[in-house]
Amino acid sequence: RAKHEGRNTYRLYRPEMDIQAQDSLALETQLRDMLEDGSGLVMHYQPLFSRHSGCLCSAEALVRWEHPVRGLISPGEFIPLAERSGLILPLGNRVLECVIDDMKRWQQQGLTPVPIAINLSAAQFWQTGFAAGVRQKLQDAGLSPRLIIFELTESILLDRHAQGLAVLQSLSDSGFRISLDDFGTGYSSLSYLQNIPAYSLKIDRSFITALDSQTRSSRAIIAAIASLARELGLTVVAEGVETRRQWDELGRYAIDLVQGFYAARPVPAESFIDWLHAPRFAPA
Ligand code: C2E
Ligand code: MG
Ligand code: MG
Ligand code: MG
């Protein structure tokens, strides 16, 4: 970047910046190496339960990086790095392969599969032939595209709305389902929900957290988003539900599914099997 700023640009020397820059450069190199065989990637799965019945309805795949020195690194730290450094496509492919492997194994073990939600970055979404590629991978594994839900945020669709709708349509025509993640935090207008071929909408955790502060505004927002989404035929998800109180209160709104630490944390594939064996959550 310094190159573009021209030769005579004067910049303050900040030692901590160098450390950060060096650090993220090292991390980028390690990420690139790790992605060669993908052996350091670990998928965790977090259940989504019906608010009404407590039944396990689906799960979200959340990637982690098992770093030899730093331990488990969260996606919040390395996804942005992967996006900046052009590694998000190979990373995304590794994630898809891991999830498909896990689903195939569960099926071979005779477990009833639940749909798995996979988060997409913009570069994956806009990649030519993405839907067809994933479809092929699933077909090779003997899995139906109905078992995959793609989660994406409004920001992906923001500047190229018409083209975005076309991509969404092709994903949907391929049999995949679409979930709008972190809903309510972006800048798009509610009217864009009208034409979108989406299956579900996830109300952002910040609104759920705000329930605790006794403000009326977060309740009004949750109520409005939930009832509008349901009217439009979308499955409504509340994300980041951490307490019994939040769980109980959400019963008052048109919430279909609940995801959060209160009911279940994200867990490795081996532990997620326990949920497939006993696919139900009951508030204590
Ligand atoms: P997200 O898609 O909004 O995922 C939900 C995040 O909230 C996860 O964080 C999850 O562990 C966390 N969470 C779930 N329930 C609770 C709760 O009750 N309380 C709190 N405080 N947090 C909760 P995680 O796993 O660190 O992932 C962070 C973000 O990284 C995700 O946000 C998603 O945007 C991105 N991400 C994760 N996996 C992938 C991936 O495979 N590909 C891409 N492109 N992005 C991913
Ligand atoms: Mg998500
Ligand atoms: Mg989310
Ligand atoms: Mg979120």
Side-chain angles (χ1 to χ4, degrees):
R1 180 160 302 153
K3 235 188 246 167
H4 304 290
E5 288 173 9
R7 208 162 285 170
N8 301 317
T9 312
Y10 172 80
R11 280 198 295 173
L12 281 176
Y13 177 70
R14 283 195 289 134
E16 77 276 10
M17 202 173 74
D18 278 10
I19 291 169
Q20 269 178 24
Q22 268 174 32
D23 207 46
S24 89
L25 195 66
L27 211 59
E28 182 185 324
T29 308
Q30 289 158 356
L31 184 61
R32 196 178 299 273
D33 290 346
M34 184 273 285
L35 286 173
E36 295 281 318
D37 64 354
S39 58
L41 286 186
V42 185
M43 295 312 300
H44 282 197
Y45 296 90
Q46 186 178 32
L48 277 74
F49 298 100
S50 157
R51 170 64 188 75
H52 171 69
S53 69
C55 282
L56 175 71
C57 293
S58 60
E60 179 172 8
L62 295 158
V63 69
R64 279 93 180 83
W65 176 9
E66 181 84 73
H67 189 278
V69 179
R70 301 183 187 209
L72 219 54
I73 306 184
S74 78
E77 204 171 327
F78 66 89
I79 293 284
L81 176 70
E83 286 174 341
R84 282 199 304 275
S85 56
L87 293 171
I88 193 66
L89 292 181
L91 174 58
N93 284 333
R94 289 287 178 200
V95 165
L96 275 161
E97 284 161 11
C98 285
V99 171
I100 290 173
D101 278 356
D102 286 337
M103 293 179 90
K104 204 168 135 183
R105 191 159 5 89
W106 298 330
Q107 204 160 51
Q108 282 163 354
Q109 291 170 358
L111 295 160
T112 309
V114 291
I116 301 291
I118 297 176
N119 292 282
L120 286 190
S121 289
Q124 292 175 280
F125 179 80
W126 293 112
Q127 192 185 21
T128 311
F130 176 75
V134 182
R135 227 187 122 88
Q136 186 61 54
K137 282 190 168 108
L138 285 166
Q139 200 175 324
D140 295 345
L143 295 167
S144 160
R146 293 310 282 172
L147 289 172
I148 299 290
I149 301 166
F150 286 121
E151 292 197 1
L152 42 106
T153 56
E154 310 159 74
S155 61
I156 292 186
L157 301 172
L158 212 56
D159 1 294
R160 288 194 276 166
H161 190 66
Q163 292 101 310
L165 280 183
V167 176
L168 286 176
Q169 197 58 56
S170 82
L171 286 168
S172 158
D173 291 345
S174 293
F176 300 113
R177 282 180 284 186
I178 307 295
S179 183
L180 301 170
D181 205 355
D182 304 341
F183 194 83
T185 57
Y187 298 96
S188 51
S189 73
L190 289 175
S191 68
Y192 102 138
L193 285 177
Q194 259 179 347
N195 312 311
I196 226 162
Y199 149 79
S200 66
L201 176 157
K202 302 180 83 172
I203 301 177
D204 190 66
R205 169 156 60 95
S206 55
F207 299 109
I208 311 302
T209 309
L211 283 176
D212 295 336
S213 58
Q214 300 293 341
T215 56
R216 279 170 58 199
S217 59
S218 62
R219 290 186 172 77
I221 290 169
I222 292 173
I225 295 178
S227 66
L228 175 72
R230 185 178 277 181
E231 283 299 314
L232 294 172
L234 298 167
T235 295
V236 186
V237 184
E239 61 177 13
V241 176
E242 293 185 343
T243 63
R244 171 71 191 258
R245 214 169 115 208
Q246 291 167 350
W247 171 281
D248 285 344
E249 186 167 353
L250 287 169
R252 300 218 294 259
Y253 309 109
I255 303 288
D256 301 297
L257 306 179
V258 167
Q259 175 181 9
F261 295 169
Y262 170 62
R265 288 187 172 259
V267 289
E270 312 83 73
S271 312
F272 181 67
I273 288 181
D274 295 344
W275 282 115
L276 290 174
H277 279 293
R280 204 175 162 72
F281 170 75

